């Protein structure tokens, strides 16, 4: 074989090898992105922190276990602070949500409601948290809260409207009521009537799980 023919043959082999590698990379890279473990941060108050419960019974821990049981590669960090308000969450969002976080489950506002805080103040703080995270490229799942009936219908209408309005404004996945299915149920709450038991948290997790899975799908598509 002449030198020119040999060079042409080697060139064709090199081109073929390059083509095969390119095709494999287009197939493998998306799979790696899809299989990558995601890191979520649950940013909230005592309902997230696990007030009155062992550490392994807290919402982030039970949620992570439920997601892994369904085959999701994900970790859920607990950034809950008992007694925190939406304004308190805004003050600490920068250090509570570290760089590298893939998504945030935002659960704040219950303490604002219990204190009778002007809903406009709560909404402004929640908006600030969401906007701050958006600027950092971190998507949010918004967990809503509802006002207690004893605060009156006017307050209830104003407070309850916060979460759907923010979800629409920012295009967020919304879980309308974090305590759905357990609010007012003595068997699922601690003696204070405000905080869920281990079984109550499990009920919360079961309720929010489909919304979190929708959120994870969004995160996967964006990765």
């Amino acid at each position: 074989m002449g030198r020119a023919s040999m060079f042409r043959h080697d060139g064709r082999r090199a081109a073929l090898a390059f083509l095969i590698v390119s095709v494999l990379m287009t197939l493998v890279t998306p799979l790696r992105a899809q299989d990558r473990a995601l890191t979520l941060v649950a940013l909230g108050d005592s309902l997230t922190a696990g007030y009155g419960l062992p550490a392994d019974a807290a919402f982030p821990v039970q949620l992570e276990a439920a997601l892994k049981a369904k085959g999701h590669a994900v970790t859920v960090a607990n950034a809950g602070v008992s007694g925190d308000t939406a304004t308190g969450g805004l003050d600490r969002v920068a250090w509570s949500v570290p760089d590298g976080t893939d998504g945030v489950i935002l659960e704040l506002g219950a303490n604002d409601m219990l204190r009778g805080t002007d809903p406009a103040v709560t909404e402004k703080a929640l908006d600030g948290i969401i906007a701050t995270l958006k600027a950092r490229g971190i998507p949010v799942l918004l967990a809503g809260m509802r006002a207690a009936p004893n605060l009156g219908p006017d307050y209830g209408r104003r407070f309850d409207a916060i979460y759907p309005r923010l979800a629409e404004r920012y295009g967020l996945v919304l879980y309308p009521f974090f305590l759905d299915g357990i609010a007012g149920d003595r068997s699922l709450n601690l003696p204070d009537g405000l905080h869920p038991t281990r079984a109550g948290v499990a009920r919360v997790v079961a309720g929010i799980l489909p919304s979190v899975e929708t959120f994870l799908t969004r995160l996967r598509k964006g990765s």
Side-chain angles (χ1 to χ4, degrees):
M1 180 184 294
R3 178 173 296 183
S5 296
M6 181 175 65
F7 284 156
R8 283 197 298 271
H9 182 67
D10 289 344
R12 284 195 295 270
R13 285 196 303 179
L16 179 60
F18 178 78
L19 178 61
I20 292 171
V21 170
S22 298
V23 171
L24 288 174
M25 287 299 292
T26 61
L27 294 175
V28 171
T29 301
L31 288 175
R32 286 177 178 171
Q34 292 296 318
D35 292 340
R36 179 178 67 84
L38 296 176
T39 299
L40 304 182
V41 170
L43 179 66
D45 48 39
S46 56
L47 299 175
T48 289
Y51 175 87
L53 299 175
D56 66 349
F59 168 73
V61 179
Q62 291 202 48
L63 177 61
E64 180 179 316
L67 289 169
K68 286 182 175 178
K70 297 196 71 175
H72 297 287
V74 61
T75 61
V76 185
N78 191 341
V81 173
S82 293
D84 211 3
T85 62
T87 300
L90 177 59
D91 290 340
R92 66 183 176 89
V93 64
W95 56 265
S96 291
V97 181
D99 291 339
T101 298
D102 293 295
V104 166
I105 299 172
L106 177 57
E107 175 277 306
L108 282 168
N111 288 310
D112 299 63
M113 179 267 294
L114 291 173
R115 298 175 187 183
T117 301
D118 184 344
V121 173
T122 303
E123 182 169 357
K124 182 178 179 181
L126 290 172
D127 188 289
I129 293 171
I130 296 165
T132 298
L133 293 170
K134 182 179 180 180
R136 293 173 59 189
I138 302 175
V140 171
L141 183 158
L142 184 59
M145 186 53 57
R146 291 179 183 165
N150 65 317
L151 293 169
D154 179 63
Y155 186 93
R157 282 192 296 270
R158 293 174 61 213
F159 184 87
D160 294 354
I162 291 173
Y163 299 91
R165 186 160 52 234
L166 287 172
E168 183 177 0
R169 184 180 303 160
Y170 287 98
L172 308 180
V173 175
L174 171 67
Y175 184 61
F177 184 32
F178 189 72
L179 296 178
D180 190 27
I182 72 164
D185 188 334
R186 291 185 178 181
S187 69
L188 294 173
N189 285 280
L190 297 176
D192 64 13
L194 298 173
H195 297 94
T197 61
R198 179 189 290 269
V201 173
R203 181 72 63 86
V204 171
V205 168
I208 201 173
L209 193 60
S211 297
V212 177
E213 289 188 290
T214 297
F215 187 50
L216 292 180
T217 297
R218 284 195 184 186
L219 297 181
R220 293 290 186 193
K221 288 181 178 179
S223 57

